[in-house]
Amino acid sequence: MGRRQIDSEPTRWVPLGLLLMGLFSCFLVYMFMSVVLRPSEKIQFLSVSENESVELVDNNGGCCRGMDHFELWGAAVKWGSDFKFNSSVECCDACKAMCNGKDGPCLCDSWVFCGNPDACGSKYGECWLKKQKDPLAPDKQDAGENTIWTSGLIYGKGEGIVKMETQYGPLHIKLLPECAPRSVMYILELLTMRHCAGCQFYRAEGRGQSWDSEGNHLNSAPFGPPFALVQGTLEAEGVLFKKIPTEECPIIQRGSVAWIGSGPEFFISLANHEEWKKSYTVFGYVLPEDMEIAEKIATLPTVPDVWNNINVSVLEKPVSFSFRRVKVST
């Protein structure tokens, strides 16, 4: 009898023990889900939203291109005879260092470099840092094959923004001369025209069911059609358009303004298009607060068409636009 009583004690506690073990296992599973899955979801969400702005900053801050055989004039803030480098990129970076986006105006918004030892002679390596009276209408000194200089523009925070006027509202575009100097020079030429006759959007396709409102591609969704873009031309009457060679080609993101080929056809992307790789020269981006205007254009009536065996949506009525300066408050 006593032995039986001893055996009965662990038997009585077995259900409670199993219950405690089950609760402990559930707790471990919960902790695993909390520590592993929840942080990864948060990181994934933040990386998507932050990359959109960080990449735009990198597009602007990571490039340092100039135009060969082109000389910008302007008031010198660093004299090249006493300021020399081995490359145009170093000269450009020196100008950027004086326009770092902090409080206060840019002290340098243009640079001029002489990088051909044979052509430059004693001027080889000279880096002239300059300040333009009007960054949207830079003072040009000389251009052509006989010009020994390479020049570039720098647009700081709040600078280099032009307004694309449409009947549905303005699209403010931040230009990227450090990444696409030749493209930006063409836009600045259009800026001098009262009317940009011939400039228009003629194709419009929304995000459909493939991208969310932030431009992120949805899992298992097709990459188009529709292709989440508005497409048009920047070939204006009265302005000779010369094919623009490939410049900086980052991954296309929501808001990117890029050439198709060498132009003058271009598009504004309504989504992040990693699948397009680095295929298009990006010369600006639409400010986030104006993307609703681009989205509005993408909802206008269209008719289906086929281009090179690809289904596209063409606007029933093209949307004309012109470029305007943006008044900067002082």
Side-chain angles (χ1 to χ4, degrees):
M1 292 292 296
R3 190 168 187 172
R4 184 177 179 182
Q5 290 175 350
I6 293 173
D7 290 341
S8 66
E9 284 298 318
T11 302
R12 185 176 65 179
W13 290 103
V14 166
L16 180 60
L18 292 175
L19 176 62
L20 290 175
M21 290 177 62
L23 291 174
F24 183 71
S25 299
C26 292
F27 176 76
L28 289 178
V29 172
Y30 172 79
M31 291 299 296
F32 175 81
M33 297 291 287
S34 300
V35 173
V36 177
L37 294 184
R38 286 188 181 179
S40 66
E41 290 173 357
K42 185 176 181 180
I43 292 171
Q44 183 179 10
F45 174 78
L46 290 177
S47 66
V48 169
S49 60
E50 287 179 356
N51 278 347
E52 184 169 355
S53 58
V54 170
E55 181 69 15
L56 291 175
V57 172
D58 286 344
N59 286 349
N60 192 13
C63 309
C64 246
R65 289 174 175 263
M67 294 177 59
D68 295 333
H69 307 295
F70 180 67
E71 182 181 4
L72 286 171
W73 209 236
V77 295
K78 282 283 188 180
W79 288 77
S81 54
D82 303 317
F83 197 63
K84 296 188 175 184
F85 289 106
N86 293 320
S87 70
S88 61
V89 173
E90 292 176 289
C91 182
C92 174
D93 282 335
C95 185
K96 279 189 177 181
M98 301 177 70
C99 185
N100 54 19
K102 296 181 180 179
D103 293 338
C106 291
L107 300 179
C108 174
D109 55 22
S110 50
W111 54 272
V112 179
F113 177 75
C114 201
N116 186 318
D118 297 329
C120 295
S122 62
K123 297 182 182 295
Y124 174 66
E126 286 189 3
C127 173
W128 293 80
L129 303 186
K130 300 185 177 185
K131 178 70 175 176
Q132 298 292 323
K133 290 183 179 179
D134 184 353
L136 292 179
D139 192 358
K140 306 171 188 177
Q141 173 69 5
D142 199 9
E145 290 298 321
N146 294 326
T147 303
I148 62 177
W149 302 96
T150 296
S151 299
L153 290 171
I154 301 292
Y155 287 150
K157 184 178 181 180
E159 297 180 332
I161 298 175
V162 297
K163 182 168 54 175
M164 182 183 284
E165 289 277 14
T166 79
Q167 65 189 89
Y168 300 98
L171 292 163
H172 289 84
I173 298 174
K174 169 74 172 182
L175 299 176
L176 303 175
E178 304 98 315
C179 302
R182 294 184 182 276
S183 303
V184 170
M185 282 297 177
Y186 178 72
I187 302 301
L188 297 185
E189 188 175 359
L190 294 180
L191 200 61
T192 64
M193 304 177 62
R194 182 177 179 84
H195 301 288
C196 192
C199 297
Q200 61 180 7
F201 293 112
Y202 52 76
R203 175 186 177 189
E205 300 178 12
R207 290 175 280 106
Q209 302 299 316
S210 296
W211 293 272
D212 64 20
S213 60
E214 294 183 349
N216 305 311
H217 186 254
L218 302 177
N219 291 336
S220 302
F223 288 100
F227 292 97
L229 55 79
V230 289
Q231 180 178 327
T233 181
L234 285 173
E235 187 171 22
E237 295 178 10
V239 178
L240 178 63
F241 184 87
K242 296 181 179 179
K243 296 294 184 180
I244 296 176
T246 301
E247 298 187 284
E248 195 71 16
C249 297
I251 295 295
I252 296 297
Q253 294 189 328
R254 178 174 166 81
S256 295
V257 186
W259 295 118
I260 298 174
S262 300
E265 313 308 307
F266 80 106
F267 66 91
I268 296 174
S269 181
L270 305 180
N272 304 321
H273 284 290
E274 290 85 357
E275 76 279 10
W276 290 350
K277 309 302 180 181
K278 298 183 177 182
S279 303
Y280 303 98
T281 294
V282 175
F283 57 87
Y285 62 86
V286 176
L287 298 188
E289 56 267 30
D290 286 354
M291 283 302 294
E292 62 182 56
I293 304 299
E295 294 277 5
K296 183 184 297 184
I297 294 173
T299 64
L300 296 176
T302 59
V303 294
D305 202 349
V306 179
W307 297 351
N308 297 323
N309 296 320
I310 297 176
N311 295 323
V312 299
S313 298
V314 179
L315 286 167
E316 289 184 358
K317 296 181 179 179
V319 177
S320 298
F321 59 81
S322 60
F323 284 100
R324 294 287 183 266
R325 297 176 66 95
V326 174
K327 293 182 179 180
V328 179
S329 59
T330 57

